[in-house]
Amino acid sequence: MPWLEISPGHWQRPLGENESMIKWIGDRAHPAGREHWSITAVGSFVLSGSVDDGSLFTKLRDSWMLLRFQHPSIASVAGTETLDYHVPNTGALEQWADETLNMVSGPSATAEDLIANLKPSPHVSGFFLPHTKQFILHTAHWRTDGYGALQLLNAFFEALASDLDPATVAWGDEPVRLVPSIEEVLELPEKATPEIQAATAECLKSGALVAGSIGLPYNGAPGIAPGGTRNIRRTISESATVSILSACEARGITPLSAVHASLAAANYAGSATSPNGSGHYTSTMRFSLRPYLKEPFNSAQYASALYTGSYMAKVPPSNSWQENAAQYNELYAASLGRGFLISRRQFATQILEILKRTGDLGPPRSEIDISSVDDAEKLVRRFYHRGGKDGEVLEVTDISLGIECLAKETYLFFWIFNGKIELNLFYNEAFYEKAFMEKNMDNIEGALKKGLQIESS
C-alpha cells in the first residue's frame, strides 16, 4: 500500500514485510540499549577556506535539514505496523534537528568509540567530530542498506556544498519523495500465488547450508552480555590495489569474488569447529535489488529504502582458493532471477514467523560473513563545489561503512575508494579480543595476496 495523507500533513503507510523482519531483529536489542545490525556510514572531509567549527556546524545543521527535505523518510517514525511522517513547521523542524544532529567535541573523542556506544533512535541520526572532520550517519537497518547509507552520505555532502537555505524550500512538498517498500515497488501481491510459494520454498532451501558450517572460537561464558561493536580497518596501498585489480582482471574474476575467497580461507584458518579441516564454510551472497528495479526506484533518490536481498552459499574444505574464487564469481555474475524477486514478500513473512516462534533461525553462528558495495565512488563523490566551479571545494578524503553486531557472527565490509581497497572487520568486543580479530584480518589480506600471487606491500 502506498503512502496516504490520513490528515493534513500526516502521511502513513504499512511497514513492508522485509522492513518488519529486519526491524524485529534489530529491536530485540533495544532492552539492552542497542540496535542489532544498525548501519553507520562515516565520511571524512575537508572544506577549503577558513571556517570555524561553530560556523561549520551551522552549515551542517542547514544541510541536515536539506537532507530531510530531499529524503524525508529519514524522519519517518515506525510504529508496530505502520510508518508515519509529519510535515514539520519551523518549530518541529528545529526540534528534529536538535534531537538528531550532534557535535561531539573533545580531542579524545573518536568515531570508533562513538559507534561502539550508539543507542537506538526513532530517526536517522548524524554526528560531527570537529577535530577529525568526520561526519557519521547512523540508521536502523530496516530503513536502508549499505548502498543506500552511502547514497545518503553523498546527499548530505551535496547539501553541504549547496547554497540552499532550508527555510526557503517548500516544506509540504517533500512527502512525494517518501520511499515505498520493496514489496510495493516490485508490485507483489499480498496473497502468495502458487508460483510465489514455490519460489519462496526454493529460496528458503539455502538456509539449510548453515548446518555444519565452521565458526570462530568466541567467549561463551554463561550469561555474557554483548558489549560495544568494534572494528579492524585495513587499507590496501594504492600500488597493491592496482596489482590486485590487474590480477583479478587477468583471471577473469571480480575483486569481490577474490576477497570472498580470501575470507573463506581466513575462516578456515581461524575456525574452532574445523580443527581437522572438516566442515564447510557458509556465507551470505548479498545483492542490491536496486539494479533490478524500474525507474526511478533504481536511483539514489530512493536511498532511504531497504532494497536488498540475499541467500546462503557454501564452499567445502577441499576447495582451493582458486576454486572458491571461481565459484563466488559465478554466483555473483549469475545475479538474481525472477523467482528470487517475486518471493521477497513471502520469504520475509515466513522468516519472521520462524523468528517469532523460535527466537532464532538456528544455533549461534560465529563465522565472518561478508558485505560489499564494490566501487564506493559510484555512491559517494570525492569532490563537491560550493558556490559554483570557482567557489569552495569540499573534498571527501575517506569513507567507512559498517554495522552494529551484537551476536557472535562478525562481518567483513569491502569497498574501493580513492584508488585503494578497504577492508573493515566488525565484531562485538564481549565475544572477541582485538588481537584475535587483527590476526583474522591478517589472514584475509594474506590469503588475498597469496591467491592472486601478489607480493606483500
Side-chain angles (χ1 to χ4, degrees):
M1 183 181 295
W3 286 91
L4 296 174
E5 189 174 21
I6 61 174
S7 64
H10 179 189
W11 293 75
Q12 186 181 84
R13 72 162 170 84
L15 278 165
E17 283 77 2
N18 281 267
E19 293 166 337
S20 294
M21 175 187 67
I22 299 298
K23 187 175 184 299
W24 190 91
I25 293 171
D27 287 0
R28 284 193 301 174
H30 283 190
R34 305 283 185 175
E35 173 106 31
H36 190 47
W37 284 354
S38 67
I39 300 175
T40 52
V42 185
S44 302
F45 68 96
V46 292
L47 186 63
S48 65
S50 178
V51 183
D52 62 76
D53 291 341
S55 297
L56 179 55
F57 189 70
T58 299
K59 290 183 178 182
L60 292 170
R61 184 182 171 89
D62 287 346
S63 303
W64 188 242
M65 294 179 183
L66 289 170
L67 179 67
R68 171 177 175 163
F69 183 73
Q70 293 298 332
H71 297 273
S73 289
I74 69 171
S76 62
V77 177
T80 305
E81 297 180 345
T82 62
L83 272 178
D84 292 87
Y85 179 79
H86 293 268
V87 175
N89 57 27
T90 301
L93 183 62
E94 294 288 341
Q95 181 180 352
W96 171 81
D98 287 341
E99 294 174 353
T100 59
L101 183 64
N102 307 272
M103 182 159 64
V104 184
S105 301
S108 62
T110 66
E112 290 76 15
D113 286 342
L114 188 152
I115 291 170
N117 291 283
L118 286 172
K119 304 299 181 186
S121 171
H123 304 106
V124 176
S125 300
F127 301 86
F128 174 55
L129 278 64
H131 52 293
T132 58
K133 294 297 185 290
Q134 288 175 297
F135 184 80
I136 300 171
L137 187 145
H138 177 237
T139 175
H141 189 9
W142 63 261
R143 289 185 183 276
T144 190
D145 45 57
Y147 284 84
L150 289 180
Q151 287 174 330
L152 285 174
L153 188 65
N154 183 72
F156 174 77
F157 286 133
E158 286 181 339
L160 183 57
S162 77
D163 293 320
L164 277 178
D165 182 341
T168 64
V169 298
W171 291 99
D173 290 352
E174 79 277 9
V176 299
R177 291 185 290 277
L178 290 165
V179 298
S181 68
I182 187 61
E183 297 83 8
E184 183 77 14
V185 174
L186 291 173
E187 300 177 353
L188 301 177
E190 293 194 16
K191 184 176 181 180
T193 64
E195 181 189 16
I196 289 175
Q197 290 174 342
T200 302
E202 193 64 30
C203 288
L204 288 168
K205 285 182 181 179
S206 76
L209 301 179
V210 171
S213 178
I214 61 173
L216 302 179
Y218 56 85
N219 180 1
I224 186 170
T229 296
R230 297 289 177 176
N231 71 296
I232 305 295
R233 175 85 176 265
R234 185 68 52 87
T235 298
I236 307 299
S237 70
E238 191 170 349
S239 60
T241 294
V242 169
S243 297
I244 289 169
L245 297 182
S246 297
C248 286
E249 184 177 5
R251 288 163 175 76
I253 59 175
T254 64
L256 173 56
S257 301
V259 171
H260 204 155
S262 303
L263 181 60
N267 271 275
Y268 277 110
S271 172
T273 52
S274 183
N276 300 314
S278 61
H280 57 268
Y281 168 61
T282 295
S283 57
T284 307
M285 302 295 299
R286 287 186 170 83
F287 295 86
S288 172
L289 300 183
R290 299 169 193 271
Y292 300 88
L293 305 181
K294 62 185 179 182
E295 294 182 352
F297 305 108
N298 58 356
S299 71
Q301 179 182 342
Y302 292 85
S304 184
L306 183 67
Y307 294 163
T308 186
S310 65
Y311 62 86
M312 311 305 293
K314 75 172 185 178
V315 292
S318 57
N319 268 14
S320 66
W321 183 96
Q322 289 76 15
E323 289 171 324
N324 286 341
Q327 176 176 322
Y328 289 132
N329 199 68
E330 181 178 353
L331 291 174
Y332 283 121
S335 299
L336 304 174
R338 168 179 164 80
F340 186 92
L341 296 174
I342 66 173
S343 68
R344 290 307 85 201
R345 185 193 298 271
Q346 187 64 20
F347 178 86
T349 296
Q350 291 186 216
I351 290 293
L352 184 55
E353 287 174 353
I354 295 171
L355 288 170
K356 287 182 176 179
R357 184 172 66 250
T358 66
D360 216 324
L361 295 176
R365 301 182 65 199
S366 63
E367 87 296 343
I368 309 174
D369 208 347
I370 190 168
S371 186
S372 168
V373 294
D374 294 317
D375 184 357
E377 287 190 42
K378 292 182 179 179
L379 305 171
V380 182
R381 287 159 47 197
R382 288 189 56 216
F383 297 98
Y384 308 77
H385 293 272
R386 182 181 174 90
K389 185 177 180 181
D390 297 324
E392 294 177 334
V393 176
L394 187 158
E395 178 185 359
V396 178
T397 57
D398 185 44
I399 63 165
S400 179
L401 181 68
I403 62 170
E404 185 171 7
C405 47
L406 301 177
K408 300 167 182 70
E409 192 173 24
T410 59
Y411 302 90
L412 177 73
F413 282 77
F414 157 70
W415 68 91
I416 300 173
F417 189 76
N418 194 15
K420 302 184 213 41
I421 287 174
E422 301 285 354
L423 304 171
N424 212 2
L425 178 55
F426 284 81
Y427 65 97
N428 192 281
E429 61 185 353
F431 305 122
Y432 300 99
E433 297 291 334
K434 180 179 181 180
F436 175 66
M437 299 313 289
E438 286 177 335
K439 182 178 179 181
N440 280 291
M441 181 63 90
D442 290 340
N443 288 338
I444 295 167
E445 182 182 1
L448 178 62
K449 293 179 176 178
K450 180 179 178 182
L452 293 171
Q453 298 179 311
I454 304 295
E455 291 186 8
S456 295
S457 59

